[in-house]
Amino acid sequence: MIQVRPLTFPQDFQWGFAAAAPQIEGAAFEDGKEPSVWDTFARIPGKVLNGDTLDIACDHYHLYEKDLALMAQLGAKNYRLSISWPRIQPTGRGAVNPKGIDFYNRLIDACLQNGLTPWVTMFHWDLPQALEDDFGGWRDRRTAEAFGPYAETLVKALGDRVKNWITLNEIFCFTQDGYGNGTKAPGAKESEQVVNQTYHTALLAHGYAVRAVREFGGPGARVGITDNPIPTIPLTETERDIEAAQKAFIEINSRVLEPLYRGEYTEAYFKTVGEDAAQFKADDFKLISQPTDFLGLNVYTGQFVRAAEPQGYEILPLPASYPTADATWLAHAPQAIYWCARHVAEIYEVPSVIITENGAGYDDAPPVNGEVLDLHRRDYVRNYLKELHRAIGDGVPVEGYFLWSFMDNYEWMDGYQRRFGVVYNDYATQTRTPKLSAKWFSRVIAENRIV
Ligand code: NOJ
């Protein structure tokens, strides 16, 4: 006899959508907002596909009410949004822009009216350009020192309604990619030492933001960071390969997770960075490693690892035929989500893991007869969810899952061509059409199980 065992999630599991201000809001120069480094970067010829800018994006700044209503209609209970620093403080310091605060007040109120719990990211890469010009941006600790008062402003203004705070999104992308690889804003190509310094400034900013939530967050306030460590997947689930994958995970992700959770730059860090280590002050780590309430993980892809001498592990290159999304960096490796969550639980004993992003980017064609049959995305998400379910079954404390993203949006250097939404956006008319994946995900939420 067949006995079906439904892949049900814990009763209090939090389902939601994730998005970020610069990728959807548009209104890039409206109501007092000054440029971010991304507004500048997008205008450098050759940096972003088709020269796409963030100027209008999904025009969510004006259409947020409709968007949140659709999100609620799809059954989401949580929404991870971000706040634009240059909308709140146009030059990153000093006077607060009242129209910026007004907008986020309205946005948070609209979330609550639609039954959506807001999870607010304080920084999702849109650094005020003035901080880049005046301080050198993340190269300089004055940027972290400016982040403190900004974070306090947010917590004081919105903390009566926002209880879940995420300090920073993906340090790697705005430090390593922004100042080392030059592929993201501000597009610099600095030495390894300077890049490691940008990581350190970011960690300090996180610390200041945690302090702001602890001091001013009020009852029930919680805080964490969203990181995108490279998930290491043991080639076989045997003791030797698992040990190798753990070792690799610690070493290759040591710039962020070790100082956060160990309160110092460790042997693993120095093994990775050598003489290019960041400079720091003795007290920095007290700030950086304050206890947090959850760790947000953005998981899209992973690396296979097997046990090997002399360093204990070998990272296997993915062959050209390994399946990927149209975003070719996004290899389809569902076990990544299981292992990433498990590694942080086992290695750092994080109290709670939240998948703050997971999803897939394809160049979807426009709707035909009102439908976008994105089975590619649906299957990607479904396979990752199965592995997440397995992690929960194995005792990993996973509290929630946010799908990236609600609607198609500005995919950084891939512009508008690369679509991560489960809702199709027609940028010419700003018409939103839920894709097959949205309807399917909506059933998952409603039944609290993989359907
Ligand atoms: C992670 C980033 O946080 C988000 O902004 C981006 O669009 C997705 N990955 C997809 O690349």
Side-chain angles (χ1 to χ4, degrees):
M1 269 304 275
I2 299 289
Q3 212 192 347
V4 178
R5 280 167 303 161
L7 299 175
T8 302
F9 282 74
Q11 237 178 13
D12 52 356
F13 194 74
Q14 304 295 323
W15 296 101
F17 290 112
Q23 296 177 271
I24 60 172
E25 283 179 4
F29 306 101
E30 219 171 298
D31 289 343
K33 179 183 167 289
E34 291 288 330
S36 76
V37 290
W38 268 94
D39 292 313
T40 309
F41 181 74
R43 286 175 162 72
I44 305 174
K47 293 294 185 189
V48 174
L49 189 72
N50 303 320
D52 287 345
T53 69
L54 310 80
D55 294 6
I56 302 173
C58 306
D59 200 23
H60 179 72
Y61 189 77
H62 299 110
L63 301 175
Y64 67 94
E65 283 176 315
K66 272 194 183 162
D67 287 336
L68 297 180
L70 178 56
M71 219 179 273
Q73 202 183 311
L74 291 171
K77 300 285 183 287
N78 298 279
Y79 175 37
R80 174 178 176 234
L81 59 100
S82 89
I83 292 188
S84 155
W85 189 354
R87 211 182 276 297
I88 298 291
Q89 276 180 308
T91 60
R93 289 148 292 169
V96 169
N97 172 24
K99 289 195 173 163
I101 298 282
D102 280 355
F103 171 66
Y104 292 106
N105 267 326
R106 283 183 273 128
L107 187 65
I108 298 298
D109 287 345
C111 282
L112 298 173
Q113 279 152 18
N114 280 288
L116 295 159
T117 299
W119 295 64
V120 173
T121 310
M122 296 172 170
F123 181 75
H124 203 121
W125 309 354
D126 44 353
L127 185 76
Q129 179 64 39
L131 292 181
E132 184 63 26
D133 297 340
D134 299 348
F135 294 164
W138 292 105
R139 297 175 188 85
D140 194 292
R141 61 193 291 138
R142 284 176 294 172
T143 292
E145 285 156 9
F147 196 73
Y150 160 67
E152 273 184 26
T153 302
L154 299 186
V155 175
K156 285 178 181 166
L158 307 171
D160 56 335
R161 288 151 290 157
V162 174
K163 292 297 164 195
N164 297 290
W165 295 98
I166 296 164
T167 57
L168 305 174
N169 179 71
E170 298 195 350
I171 289 180
F172 177 94
C173 290
F174 64 89
T175 58
Q176 192 84 51
D177 278 349
Y179 294 87
N181 305 329
T183 51
K184 294 195 174 83
K189 289 190 178 159
E190 299 283 4
S191 68
E192 272 301 305
Q193 201 286 324
V194 172
V195 174
N196 288 323
Q197 206 61 47
T198 64
Y199 276 95
H200 190 74
T201 313
L203 291 166
L204 287 173
H206 159 78
Y208 283 118
V210 171
R211 190 183 274 174
V213 175
R214 296 295 183 229
E215 280 183 22
F216 304 105
R222 302 197 311 156
V223 63
I225 191 171
T226 280
D227 189 29
N228 58 331
I230 296 173
T232 53
I233 306 166
L235 180 63
T236 63
E237 297 195 353
T238 57
E239 216 173 299
R240 283 188 72 227
D241 282 349
I242 292 173
E243 204 180 297
Q246 267 208 7
K247 186 156 195 260
F249 187 84
I250 294 168
E251 287 183 10
I252 62 184
N253 299 304
S254 63
R255 288 180 177 86
V256 174
L257 292 175
E258 293 284 289
L260 279 181
Y261 288 102
R262 305 271 184 243
E264 58 180 345
Y265 287 135
T266 58
E267 208 182 303
Y269 175 81
F270 289 109
K271 198 168 165 193
T272 307
V273 306
E275 289 180 352
D276 295 319
Q279 292 176 343
F280 54 87
K281 295 186 183 168
D283 272 359
D284 287 354
F285 294 104
K286 269 195 217 146
L287 193 64
I288 291 171
S289 65
Q290 293 165 88
T292 51
D293 304 302
F294 57 83
L295 175 62
L297 292 177
N298 290 355
V299 183
Y300 289 89
T301 189
Q303 295 271 1
F304 287 90
V305 169
R306 69 179 169 200
E309 294 315 324
Q311 61 175 356
Y313 63 86
E314 178 190 7
I315 296 177
L316 302 176
L318 286 177
S321 303
Y322 196 88
T324 69
D326 288 340
T328 50
W329 57 267
L330 212 166
H332 190 138
Q335 295 155 80
I337 206 166
Y338 173 90
W339 282 103
C340 197
R342 178 167 157 184
H343 285 327
V344 297
E346 285 193 308
I347 300 168
Y348 299 113
E349 296 176 357
V350 300
S352 162
V353 171
I354 299 175
I355 303 301
T356 39
E357 288 183 31
N358 170 242
Y362 291 94
D363 302 347
D364 298 315
V368 175
N369 299 327
E371 282 200 299
V372 178
L373 296 174
D374 61 337
L375 278 165
H376 39 284
R377 182 173 293 98
R378 199 295 292 254
D379 279 8
Y380 172 100
V381 173
R382 195 172 192 278
N383 289 333
Y384 276 65
L385 280 182
K386 279 194 199 165
E387 287 286 332
L388 190 64
H389 184 268
R390 174 161 83 105
I392 296 169
D394 287 356
V396 180
V398 185
E399 196 187 323
Y401 174 94
F402 290 75
L403 181 59
W404 183 274
S405 186
F406 171 61
M407 60 185 154
D408 298 330
N409 59 57
Y410 186 80
E411 180 52 16
W412 310 111
M413 59 278 196
D414 293 330
Y416 293 106
Q417 179 172 308
R418 188 63 30 79
R419 294 169 180 273
F420 272 83
V422 292
V423 172
Y424 187 91
N425 190 35
D426 176 335
Y427 291 99
T429 59
Q430 298 293 357
T431 310
R432 324 283 199 225
T433 307
K435 304 176 192 178
L436 174 141
S437 56
K439 295 173 191 168
W440 170 80
F441 189 59
S442 168
R443 292 300 314 162
V444 170
I445 300 175
E447 302 204 16
N448 198 32
R449 70 181 177 96
I450 300 173
V451 294

